[in-house]
Protein backbone atom coordinates (compact mmCIF):
# COMPACT_ATOMS: atom_id res chain seq x y z
CA UNK A 1 0.00 0.00 0.00
CA UNK A 2 2.85 2.38 0.81
CA UNK A 3 4.44 2.04 -2.64
CA UNK A 4 1.11 2.69 -4.37
CA UNK A 5 0.52 5.86 -2.33
CA UNK A 6 4.04 7.04 -3.00
CA UNK A 7 3.60 6.42 -6.73
CA UNK A 8 0.27 8.30 -6.87
CA UNK A 9 1.71 11.18 -4.83
CA UNK A 10 4.77 11.40 -7.07
CA UNK A 11 2.59 11.40 -10.19
CA UNK A 12 0.37 14.14 -8.76
CA UNK A 13 3.33 16.33 -7.89
CA UNK A 14 4.79 15.78 -11.35
CA UNK A 15 1.53 16.73 -13.11
CA UNK A 16 1.06 19.84 -11.00
CA UNK A 17 4.67 20.91 -11.47
CA UNK A 18 4.55 20.56 -15.24
CA UNK A 19 1.32 22.49 -15.64
CA UNK A 20 1.77 26.19 -15.91
CA UNK A 21 -0.79 28.80 -15.05
CA UNK A 22 -1.45 29.39 -18.73
CA UNK A 23 -2.21 25.71 -19.31
CA UNK A 24 -4.61 25.68 -16.35
CA UNK A 25 -6.40 28.76 -17.70
CA UNK A 26 -6.67 27.23 -21.16
CA UNK A 27 -8.08 24.04 -19.63
CA UNK A 28 -10.64 25.99 -17.60
CA UNK A 29 -11.63 28.00 -20.67
CA UNK A 30 -12.01 24.79 -22.69
CA UNK A 31 -14.26 23.27 -19.99
CA UNK A 32 -16.41 26.42 -19.92
CA UNK A 33 -16.68 26.41 -23.71
CA UNK A 34 -17.63 22.73 -23.74
CA UNK A 35 -20.25 23.39 -21.05
CA UNK A 36 -21.70 26.21 -23.14
CA UNK A 37 -21.80 24.02 -26.26
CA UNK A 38 -23.42 21.11 -24.43
CA UNK A 39 -26.02 23.34 -22.76
CA UNK A 40 -26.93 24.74 -26.19
CA UNK A 41 -27.11 21.20 -27.48
CA UNK A 42 -29.48 20.20 -24.67
CA UNK A 43 -31.62 23.30 -25.27
CA UNK A 44 -32.02 23.43 -29.05
CA UNK A 45 -31.54 19.88 -30.36
CA UNK A 46 -34.54 18.10 -28.75
CA UNK A 47 -37.74 18.12 -30.77
CA UNK A 48 -39.71 19.30 -27.74
CA UNK A 49 -38.11 21.17 -24.89
CA UNK A 50 -40.11 21.67 -21.72
CA UNK A 51 -39.71 25.18 -20.33
CA UNK A 52 -38.15 25.12 -16.91
CA UNK A 53 -35.90 22.16 -17.65
CA UNK A 54 -32.34 23.18 -16.77
CA UNK A 55 -29.52 22.59 -19.21
CA UNK A 56 -26.51 23.45 -17.08
CA UNK A 57 -26.22 20.48 -14.65
CA UNK A 58 -26.01 17.87 -17.38
CA UNK A 59 -23.79 20.07 -19.57
CA UNK A 60 -21.30 20.63 -16.75
CA UNK A 61 -21.24 16.92 -15.89
CA UNK A 62 -20.70 15.95 -19.53
CA UNK A 63 -17.97 18.55 -20.05
CA UNK A 64 -16.02 17.38 -17.00
CA UNK A 65 -16.55 13.70 -17.79
CA UNK A 66 -15.72 14.12 -21.47
CA UNK A 67 -12.51 15.91 -20.59
CA UNK A 68 -11.55 13.15 -18.17
CA UNK A 69 -12.35 10.41 -20.67
CA UNK A 70 -10.37 12.24 -23.36
CA UNK A 71 -7.33 12.64 -21.13
CA UNK A 72 -7.54 9.03 -19.98
CA UNK A 73 -7.82 7.64 -23.49
CA UNK A 74 -5.01 9.91 -24.71
CA UNK A 75 -2.77 8.59 -21.95
CA UNK A 76 -3.74 5.04 -22.85
CA UNK A 77 -2.93 5.70 -26.51
CA UNK A 78 0.46 7.16 -25.67
CA UNK A 79 1.28 4.18 -23.51
CA UNK A 80 0.01 1.47 -25.87
CA UNK A 81 0.78 2.88 -29.29
CA UNK A 82 4.46 3.42 -28.76
CA UNK A 83 5.11 0.16 -26.96
CA UNK A 84 3.51 -1.92 -29.72
CA UNK A 85 4.41 -0.01 -32.88
CA UNK A 86 2.99 -2.63 -35.22
CA UNK A 87 -0.51 -2.22 -33.84
CA UNK A 88 -0.56 1.55 -33.23
CA UNK A 89 -3.03 2.29 -36.05
CA UNK A 90 -5.45 -0.38 -34.86
CA UNK A 91 -5.14 0.76 -31.25
CA UNK A 92 -5.79 4.35 -32.32
CA UNK A 93 -8.89 3.36 -34.28
CA UNK A 94 -10.28 1.32 -31.41
CA UNK A 95 -9.65 4.11 -28.93
CA UNK A 96 -11.41 6.65 -31.19
CA UNK A 97 -14.42 4.35 -31.40
CA UNK A 98 -14.38 3.90 -27.64
CA UNK A 99 -14.12 7.70 -27.20
CA UNK A 100 -17.16 8.27 -29.45
CA UNK A 101 -19.16 5.55 -27.69
CA UNK A 102 -18.37 6.92 -24.22
CA UNK A 103 -19.09 10.47 -25.41
CA UNK A 104 -22.54 9.47 -26.68
CA UNK A 105 -23.22 7.63 -23.43
CA UNK A 106 -22.17 10.70 -21.41
CA UNK A 107 -24.51 12.89 -23.48
CA UNK A 108 -27.40 10.59 -22.59
CA UNK A 109 -26.43 10.60 -18.92
CA UNK A 110 -26.35 14.41 -18.96
CA UNK A 111 -29.77 14.57 -20.62
CA UNK A 112 -31.18 12.23 -17.97
CA UNK A 113 -29.65 14.37 -15.22
CA UNK A 114 -31.26 17.48 -16.72
CA UNK A 115 -34.65 15.77 -16.91
CA UNK A 116 -34.41 14.51 -13.33
CA UNK A 117 -33.36 17.89 -11.95
CA UNK A 118 -36.11 19.59 -14.00
CA UNK A 119 -38.80 17.29 -12.62
CA UNK A 120 -37.52 17.76 -9.08
CA UNK A 121 -37.50 21.55 -9.48
CA UNK A 122 -40.98 21.52 -10.99
CA UNK A 123 -42.28 19.40 -8.13
CA UNK A 124 -40.70 21.70 -5.55
CA UNK A 125 -41.98 24.92 -7.16
CA UNK A 126 -45.51 23.65 -7.70
CA UNK A 127 -45.84 21.94 -4.36
CA UNK A 128 -43.15 23.04 -1.88
CA UNK A 129 -44.62 21.26 1.17
CA UNK A 130 -45.04 17.84 -0.37
CA UNK A 131 -48.84 17.73 -0.09
CA UNK A 132 -50.42 16.28 -3.17
CA UNK A 133 -53.02 18.59 -4.70
CA UNK A 134 -56.54 17.24 -4.63
CA UNK A 135 -57.63 16.27 -8.12
CA UNK A 136 -61.20 15.26 -8.74
CA UNK A 137 -61.56 12.30 -11.06
CA UNK A 138 -63.62 12.73 -14.23
CA UNK A 139 -67.23 11.53 -14.15
CA UNK A 140 -67.97 7.97 -15.16
CA UNK A 141 -70.11 9.12 -18.10
CA UNK A 142 -67.01 10.47 -19.85
CA UNK A 143 -65.67 6.94 -20.30
CA UNK A 144 -67.70 5.82 -23.26
CA UNK A 145 -66.67 3.14 -25.69
CA UNK A 146 -66.93 4.01 -29.33
CA UNK A 147 -67.52 0.92 -31.42
CA UNK A 148 -67.13 0.63 -35.13
CA UNK A 149 -68.52 -2.13 -37.24
CA UNK A 150 -65.82 -3.82 -39.21
CA UNK A 151 -68.11 -5.65 -41.58
CA UNK A 152 -70.23 -2.79 -42.79
Amino acid sequence: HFTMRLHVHTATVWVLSTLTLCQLLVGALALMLMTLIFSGLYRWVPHRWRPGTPCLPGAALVALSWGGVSLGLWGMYQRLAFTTQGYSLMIGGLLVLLWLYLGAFLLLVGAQLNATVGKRLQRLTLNPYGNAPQVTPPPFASFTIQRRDRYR
Side-chain angles (χ1 to χ4, degrees):
H1 293 293
F2 178 71
T3 57
M4 181 183 285
R5 281 192 224 154
L6 181 65
H7 178 68
V8 169
H9 177 67
T10 308
T12 306
V13 169
W14 179 79
V15 167
L16 290 178
S17 66
T18 57
L19 291 178
T20 63
L21 181 63
C22 184
Q23 288 174 330
L24 288 174
L25 289 175
V26 166
L29 183 66
L31 284 176
M32 286 190 287
L33 183 65
M34 285 174 50
T35 302
L36 183 68
I37 289 171
F38 288 137
S39 66
L41 187 76
Y42 286 136
R43 170 59 181 96
W44 286 295
V45 168
H47 180 63
R48 280 189 272 163
W49 181 73
R50 291 186 354 199
T53 302
C55 297
L56 197 58
L61 175 74
V62 171
L64 287 172
S65 302
W66 196 307
V69 165
S70 297
L71 285 176
L73 289 177
W74 177 249
M76 188 183 298
Y77 175 74
Q78 284 184 335
R79 182 183 171 127
L80 291 176
F82 297 117
T83 57
T84 58
Q85 292 178 359
Y87 295 106
S88 64
L89 185 63
M90 184 177 67
I91 289 171
L94 288 174
L95 288 178
V96 165
L97 288 175
L98 182 63
W99 179 70
L100 290 172
Y101 179 78
L102 290 174
F105 177 72
L106 289 173
L107 282 173
L108 291 175
V109 168
Q112 183 62 43
L113 177 68
N114 287 338
T116 304
V117 169
K119 284 183 182 180
R120 178 71 55 98
L121 286 175
Q122 184 181 22
R123 193 174 347 151
L124 287 176
T125 56
L126 289 179
N127 199 356
Y129 300 111
N131 302 340
Q134 296 296 325
V135 178
T136 58
F140 186 73
S142 66
F143 296 105
T144 58
I145 299 174
Q146 303 290 328
R147 290 188 176 190
R148 292 187 289 177
D149 282 335
R150 276 195 235 174
Y151 304 108
R152 249 189 191 179

